[in-house]
Amino acid sequence: MKLFVTGGAGYIGSHCVLRLLQEGHEVVIFDNFSEGSRETVRTLSELKFPGRLADVVQGDLLHPEDLQRALSDDSFDAVFHFAALTRVKESVQHPELYYCHNVVGTLNLLEAMRSFDVKRLVFSSTASVYGEPQYTPIDEKHPLNPINPYGRSKQMAEMIIQDFDRAYGIRSVCLRYFNVVGASSLGCLGDRRVIVTHLIPSIIHAILGISKAFSVFGTDYPTRDGTCIRDYIPIEDLVDAHIRALTFLSEGNRTEIFNLGTEQGYTVQEVLTVCERVLGKKIPVILESRRSGDPAVLIAASKRANEALNWHSQQLLEEAIRLAYAWEQKKMSMSL
Ligand code: UDP
């Protein structure tokens, strides 16, 4: 198939492109390179797979003419839409950026898909659309009540996507990610984002001496050890769900929404312990107060994706941590 991937030079997008090429598809990457990396694109273009990286278009979702140019060249079977701003804190400080890029950007993409008659979309959404959970594990029926502009922007994008199905028959699968972790098992791709805020990369930075210590944000949550519980989904398993979503749409199924998680929760303290055991390193830790906007527990119920996509997360957290660590070490050696 011929596939159009927005944000294909970013962390999750690039792992999906890699898998699509492995599966023999032809891929066009559309990226504005604000977060995405040219190095990542170079890596992808050098790998020898049955599929083909047909083109890399530097373009912006906020410039409809860029989308028209990129989509007019070929007839695409489907679009994967990863391009988005994803920092919760930044979204509180600059909500306009999030409504522009994540909402207007998605609308522009849908408009371009409509003009070129592209009828299938796989969309990157987030567990942030649920807000503070009323119950866990969280299933897709859980009420949506996002507590920051990032989550609200993704909810709005989902609503527009549903409307484009009703009005124009664009069939979609919205995938609501829980906490995505790890790196490619081939060792060639990983998270290249310069600003590190997520748990496992922050722990690894403390181990590698890039930061002085790892800060635990909050030890007084109502959990088994006082630290927050999250559901950590390895990136290659997450990508696998995207491939299955494409098949699901190609088989003519209706528009759907799926949570993607492992259904297993780890506290921050437990993740630290696993990292120390797996990597054989002692991690310098500072106990800090809570970070604002962090719910105590976020665990996915993924039954719907298990059943409809025949998808299950398979990689162990230990392996995802090993891959993330190997990737951070490689990044460090490349920058020397
Ligand atoms: N966390 C932490 N220290 C860090 C980064 C994260 O204690 O340096 C905690 C954070 O408070 C949350 C969990 O780890 O409970 C996962 O945070 P992350 O930023 O990775 O993902 P989020 O759940 O916010 O999307």
Side-chain angles (χ1 to χ4, degrees):
M1 280 193 253
K2 177 130 190 177
L3 305 164
F4 189 75
V5 183
T6 77
Y11 171 48
I12 301 174
S14 63
H15 285 78
C16 188
V17 169
L18 172 62
R19 179 70 196 276
L20 291 169
L21 296 173
Q22 284 174 320
E23 300 273 321
H25 298 295
E26 188 175 338
V27 179
V28 172
I29 290 179
F30 182 88
D31 204 299
N32 68 4
F33 291 98
S34 62
E35 293 275 348
S37 147
R38 295 209 177 270
E39 196 54 47
T40 296
V41 169
R42 201 165 309 129
T43 302
L44 286 167
S45 60
E46 282 164 3
L47 294 167
K48 295 279 171 273
F49 288 123
R52 212 156 55 87
L53 190 55
D55 219 343
V56 180
V57 179
Q58 174 158 12
D60 200 300
L61 293 173
L62 295 181
H63 302 149
E65 64 281 8
D66 290 354
L67 283 164
Q68 298 282 328
R69 177 168 50 90
L71 281 163
S72 66
D73 284 351
D74 266 298
S75 54
F76 288 93
D77 296 289
V79 171
F80 288 81
H81 179 27
F82 295 99
L85 298 182
T86 59
R87 293 197 186 92
V88 169
K89 195 168 161 197
E90 182 186 58
S91 81
V92 175
Q93 292 160 339
H94 300 290
E96 72 287 356
L97 290 178
Y98 281 70
Y99 294 120
C100 261
H101 285 271
N102 297 359
V103 183
V104 179
T106 300
L107 178 59
N108 288 343
L109 176 65
L110 286 161
E111 270 297 87
M113 288 175 67
R114 182 160 80 95
S115 11
F116 294 104
D117 206 28
V118 186
K119 294 283 195 197
R120 295 178 197 126
L121 173 68
V122 181
F123 177 61
S124 290
S125 192
T126 167
S128 294
V129 296
Y130 296 115
E132 190 69 46
Q134 294 175 12
Y135 59 86
T136 61
I138 300 173
D139 58 21
E140 293 82 356
K141 292 202 183 89
H142 186 287
L144 304 186
N145 188 21
I147 54 172
N148 50 58
Y150 168 60
R152 279 192 279 277
S153 71
K154 285 286 186 176
Q155 183 190 2
M156 288 176 197
E158 281 192 6
M159 289 162 84
I160 299 171
I161 288 168
Q162 306 289 329
D163 284 340
F164 269 67
D165 177 17
R166 283 185 278 269
Y168 307 118
I170 294 181
R171 298 273 183 270
S172 64
V173 171
C174 286
L175 299 172
R176 293 179 179 156
Y177 309 159
F178 282 65
N179 289 59
V180 187
V181 294
S184 164
S185 48
L186 295 183
C188 57
L189 290 179
D191 192 348
R192 279 185 187 272
R193 285 172 293 189
V194 179
I195 302 169
V196 168
T197 60
H198 289 302
L199 176 63
I200 291 173
S202 301
I203 293 174
I204 293 172
H205 276 211
I207 295 176
L208 293 175
I210 300 170
S211 63
K212 281 209 183 78
F214 167 73
S215 297
V216 176
F217 296 139
T219 52
D220 58 349
Y221 285 96
T223 59
R224 42 189 181 264
D225 61 21
T227 63
C228 286
I229 295 179
R230 292 289 180 275
D231 182 339
Y232 295 95
I233 169 82
I235 189 153
E236 290 185 330
D237 289 341
L238 184 94
V239 161
D240 185 54
H242 291 68
I243 305 300
R244 289 167 189 269
L246 177 64
T247 308
F248 180 83
L249 289 172
S250 307
E251 286 168 351
N253 287 298
R254 68 196 181 285
T255 286
E256 263 291 2
I257 293 176
F258 299 115
N259 285 345
L260 297 181
T262 64
E263 304 196 310
Q264 201 186 337
Y266 285 84
T267 68
V268 171
Q269 187 54 55
E270 285 164 354
V271 174
L272 263 172
T273 306
V274 176
C275 286
E276 291 195 326
R277 178 167 48 77
V278 165
L279 304 174
K281 313 271 181 190
K282 190 87 194 112
I283 299 160
V285 168
I286 303 172
L287 302 181
E288 295 208 25
S289 51
R290 293 180 179 198
R291 188 171 72 173
S292 77
D294 274 345
V297 182
L298 283 177
I299 301 173
S302 282
K303 189 162 173 260
R304 205 192 267 188
N306 300 159
E307 288 177 359
L309 302 179
N310 191 22
W311 174 83
H312 294 87
S313 177
Q314 301 198 322
Q315 196 177 81
L316 297 176
L317 182 63
E318 281 82 347
E319 182 59 10
I321 288 170
R322 253 184 233 114
L323 292 170
Y325 185 69
W327 169 252
E328 291 295 335
Q329 280 183 310
K330 182 172 178 176
K331 247 184 9 186
M332 239 176 121
S333 68
M334 284 189 301
S335 65
L336 289 177

